Amino acid sequence: MSHDRQVDLAVDLSNRTGRTDAIYRALHAALTTGRVPAGERLPSTRDLAQDLGVSRASVATAYERLVAEGFLETRTGAGTFATAAARDAVPARRRSPGVLRPRAGWRWTVQPASGDVPAPAHDFRVGIPDASLFPFDTWRRLLAAESRAGGAAAGSYGGPAGLPRFRAAVARYVSGARGVSAGPDDVIATTGAQQALDLVARVLLEPGDVVAVEDPGYPEARELFALHGARVVPVPVDAEGLVVDEIPARARLVYTTPSHQFPLGMPLSLARRRALLAHAARHDAAVIEDDYDSEFRRARRPLESLQALDRDGRVVYVGTFSKSLLPGLRVGYLVAPPSLREALLAARQLTDGHGAVHVQGALARLIDDGLLARHVRKASAVYAERTEILLDALAGLPVEPVPAAAGLHVAAYLADAAPLTSTALVARARRRSVALDSLASFATGPHRDGLVLGIGAAVTSSIRPGIQALGRLLEP
């Protein structure tokens, strides 16, 4: 039950002798189309008359007529309310589905998001961090400080690059934690890695340009490039990562996940990194280095980033806080070579202007106070334990885990003798409240069949029971 509100009435008052009837028709339409729902309290006759610039008697007479017809009721001391009769008069279908259609070639459809469905009992979905590890109390304090007037120029529009101290904090962070060569001016804030990919595509790609992507790989990346009119060419992956010799010479852009190949998990070898940069120089190509979750390392320090090895300014480094902190923050970043900076900033400004400056400010404090590094260390220990439990539980199944030294998921090939395909296995597992992904869902062509299991959302105590349930489905 709501209080008085403004009723937006389109009333033709040009006929001075028919004002009461005009007000009645406008109110009747608002009530019977659902714009004023059942139970809603209408403005007083005095207030509505003042808003419309008419006499109170005209409004009162219209109200009385609607009360008599059962669309309104008066309650002593409370006011005038829309009745259930108004709700029942609302047509079941008020609008046409429309004749407009997406442009020719549009093929991507909305995919289910992890937050749209209840979490399963055994949650091995990919790409979800453990929200219970997030320092919510500290975050609320930092966010409140940034949200206060003047804390982050909240009353002004921000620049497309992002809050300056956020960019400075990110530059220090990626330089120390990822070995990236970056200063504040090289960093552009984004609303996640997906927007970073979109900005690069807008700036670099013409319709028909060839884009090389890893296969298996990240579906949302290849579909985004296709959406921009590119011809997306899948390139195979082996034990050393992207097979550089298979990249088409005409590729204008190469998209890769060298620190932790998605979804298989191996790093791109140093020899392949150098070969990729040489290929890009030889064929005048750009490279997107998507470093989406390598903070969570379980072994030695990773190989030097592509961006740090790059001497020509061909690599755009993309990062996100969706895995290291929370997806709901919607904050990522890219580190761009100077030659692309102005164009990327213009693209950001034209598409969505700028991000949430108070969130960027709070993140800058989280980084500068050492709280992000502390959180990553804590989460890394938890994720490492879960990975060890997962690998130990998988040891009794007809699967072959793919070696990986970082990240929030594990890929495992199915044995040739497995009784089910990964697609069928995933479907049956979901009926037993075990959620995981099929390796086939990330590949565009023939590829060895397998599974991808996330450990971020998995409750530690549920890992073994979940894998045991999975194992029963794999029994001959």
Side-chain angles (χ1 to χ4, degrees), residues 108-121:
W108 184 251
T109 57
V110 175
Q111 303 299 300
S114 58
D116 290 341
V117 295

Side-chain angles (χ1 to χ4, degrees), residues 174-334:
V174 296
S175 297
R178 310 283 189 95
V180 173
S181 176
D185 289 343
D186 301 314
V187 176
I188 297 176
T190 65
T191 53
Q194 197 70 15
Q195 187 190 40
L197 303 184
D198 181 67
L199 294 176
V200 175
R202 289 175 185 274
V203 166
L204 285 180
L205 298 180
E206 297 280 0
D209 280 349
V210 173
V211 176
V213 299
E214 297 166 333
D215 189 28
Y218 181 44
E220 282 81 352
R222 62 175 180 254
E223 293 296 337
L224 184 142
F225 298 135
L227 184 65
H228 281 282
R231 185 164 71 87
V232 179
V233 177
V235 177
V237 173
D238 64 15
E240 292 187 64
L242 183 69
V243 181
V244 176
D245 290 343
E246 297 290 331
I247 298 174
R250 290 184 54 216
R252 169 70 170 133
L253 178 64
V254 180
Y255 170 79
T256 181
T257 52
S259 295
H260 182 226
Q261 200 280 331
F262 186 84
L264 292 176
M266 75 285 288
L268 187 65
S269 69
L270 182 58
R272 291 277 178 87
R273 291 170 190 247
R274 289 171 174 163
L276 175 55
L277 293 173
H279 173 96
R282 189 164 56 251
H283 298 289
D284 192 25
V287 178
I288 294 179
E289 177 179 11
D290 188 349
D291 195 3
Y292 61 97
D293 72 351
S294 71
E295 293 102 329
F296 303 116
R297 297 190 292 271
R298 298 185 294 276
R300 59 183 174 83
R301 186 174 177 83
L303 294 171
E304 198 169 8
S305 67
L306 278 175
Q307 194 269 356
L309 294 171
D310 178 25
R311 297 292 178 265
D312 298 331
R314 295 188 177 276
V315 175
V316 179
Y317 179 90
V318 172
T320 178
F321 292 102
S322 293
K323 308 298 186 296
S324 58
L325 291 172
L326 289 177
L329 299 183
R330 302 312 306 138
V331 181
Y333 54 90
L334 61 83

